[in-house]
Amino acid sequence: MFITLALAPLLHGFIATAEERIQRGRGPSIFQPYRDLWKLLHKEQLTPESASGIFWAAPVIAFTVMLIVPLLIPVLTNYPLPLSDMGDILGGGLILTLGNFMILLAGLDSGQPFGGLGASRAAMLAILAEPTLILVFVGITFLDHAMLPFVANHLLARDPVAYWGPVHVFLVAAFFILLTVETDRLPIHSTIPYEIYMIDEARVLEYSGPLLALLRWASWMKQFILYTIFLNVFLFPWGLATSGHPVDIVMAVVWILVKYAMLGLFMAVIDTAQARLRFYRYQEPLAASFLFAVLAIVAYKV
């Protein structure tokens, strides 16, 4: 949990800097997200007159759920933590969905047109993305005959047949497309304020001060968590600490920085190189992700 809390802004800063460097710009420091959080936490909190209690509760709930999920997945160690039996991989997915749902409600509760626009678009994406995410998690439970992410990590790390099998390959492809959707890398998103295609930024446009800091920190932690599931459960289940020895922990942290930097750089290249799609074509990549997830389950049954 503390690793996620501390390294999530660093991962976001690295990706933002990499995107600017790829576009031949200088870019901000990779530590700029920490400075932004510090500045927002010390600003005055402003609230729309039309907002209700949901406007205040949503950032706190979204931030809290992002602290729960790291307890259920292999972030730093390949053995379960003391509280990891609180839920399985499906439970973690539902907890992430709860955070998204609260931010969606907050966008509607602000009573502003941009908030409603962003919330409605996010709901349209979620209608296709969330069932696919559940299907991917069901596929991995079929593969390892368990619903705990640590079991999947152990199976894929030690069994080359399962790792290179069609079920796992299809699941990796499906989850990677979902990763671009859930981390705002789908080529229909825009983070430019008052730009017509913005989605997530529109939902939190009325926030400021400490509540905006919580929302941004929660968004960065969600990105870190999804990267963790993709890397440590699906794509690269090696490099985690096998014991609580300090040397193992330090080596695991080094592996985290290397793996996440490589994936972040790859995502920055994709985000920069791909052409912008019109919003109504958002179904195409999500349909491809759903198809890969279905193929994974069919391959398992065959």
Side-chain angles (χ1 to χ4, degrees):
M1 181 177 70
F2 295 109
I3 291 292
T4 303
L5 196 66
L7 295 186
L10 182 64
L11 176 62
H12 177 77
F14 176 81
I15 294 175
T17 303
E19 286 180 339
E20 291 294 333
R21 295 295 175 87
I22 292 171
Q23 297 173 12
R24 299 184 178 181
R26 183 174 181 180
S29 165
I30 61 174
F31 301 106
Q32 186 61 39
Y34 297 102
R35 302 190 187 111
D36 293 340
L37 289 177
W38 179 262
K39 183 171 62 177
L40 288 172
L41 289 172
H42 289 80
K43 279 192 171 183
E44 181 183 1
Q45 180 63 54
L46 300 177
T47 307
E49 294 181 355
S50 58
S52 67
I54 295 177
F55 189 85
W56 288 88
V60 178
I61 295 176
F63 185 82
T64 303
V65 299
M66 297 306 165
L67 295 178
I68 296 175
V69 179
L71 299 175
L72 311 177
I73 59 177
V75 178
L76 194 62
T77 64
N78 74 345
Y79 55 86
L81 298 176
L83 299 178
S84 61
D85 58 351
M86 291 191 305
D88 50 30
I89 194 167
L90 286 176
L94 293 176
I95 292 174
L96 288 177
T97 302
L98 173 62
N100 290 339
F101 179 68
M102 292 306 300
I103 298 175
L104 188 149
L105 287 183
L108 294 173
D109 187 66
S110 66
Q112 302 301 316
F114 276 108
L117 182 68
S120 63
R121 287 177 171 174
M124 292 171 65
L125 290 175
I127 288 173
L128 289 179
E130 297 299 336
T132 307
L133 183 63
I134 299 299
L135 203 58
V136 170
F137 288 162
V138 169
I140 197 67
T141 58
F142 281 167
L143 187 65
D144 58 15
H145 304 288
M147 300 185 72
L148 295 177
F150 289 94
V151 177
N153 171 273
H154 290 177
L155 172 69
L156 296 173
R158 71 170 188 271
D159 188 353
V161 176
Y163 184 85
W164 295 108
V167 178
H168 181 239
V169 171
F170 285 135
L171 288 176
V172 168
F175 196 88
F176 180 76
I177 296 175
L178 286 177
L179 198 63
T180 64
V181 177
E182 298 288 347
T183 59
D184 302 343
R185 302 294 168 189
L186 198 68
I188 59 171
H189 285 274
S190 175
T191 57
I192 302 173
Y194 297 104
E195 211 269 348
I196 190 170
Y197 291 109
M198 63 182 180
I199 299 176
D200 287 346
E201 286 292 324
R203 290 188 297 174
V204 301
L205 202 58
E206 298 302 321
Y207 279 97
S208 62
L211 290 182
L212 181 58
L214 288 181
L215 283 171
R216 288 191 173 170
W217 207 344
S219 174
W220 299 337
M221 284 197 291
K222 177 188 173 186
Q223 176 179 255
F224 188 90
I225 290 168
L226 291 174
Y227 274 37
T228 299
I229 296 174
F230 181 67
L231 286 171
N232 292 348
V233 177
F234 285 91
L235 186 63
F236 198 85
W238 303 280
L240 300 176
T242 57
S243 68
H245 194 278
V247 176
D248 281 355
I249 299 297
V250 171
M251 291 304 298
V253 172
V254 172
W255 269 111
I256 279 181
L257 295 177
V258 172
K259 288 192 295 185
Y260 290 35
M262 293 179 64
L263 180 58
L265 185 61
F266 185 63
M267 295 294 280
V269 171
I270 289 179
D271 195 24
T272 305
Q274 64 185 349
R276 174 69 63 82
L277 294 176
R278 294 180 180 178
F279 180 76
Y280 66 81
R281 295 182 63 184
Y282 71 93
Q283 306 98 329
E284 297 175 8
L286 287 172
S289 177
F290 184 80
L291 178 62
F292 282 131
V294 172
L295 287 175
I297 294 178
V298 171
Y300 172 78
K301 294 296 183 182
V302 172

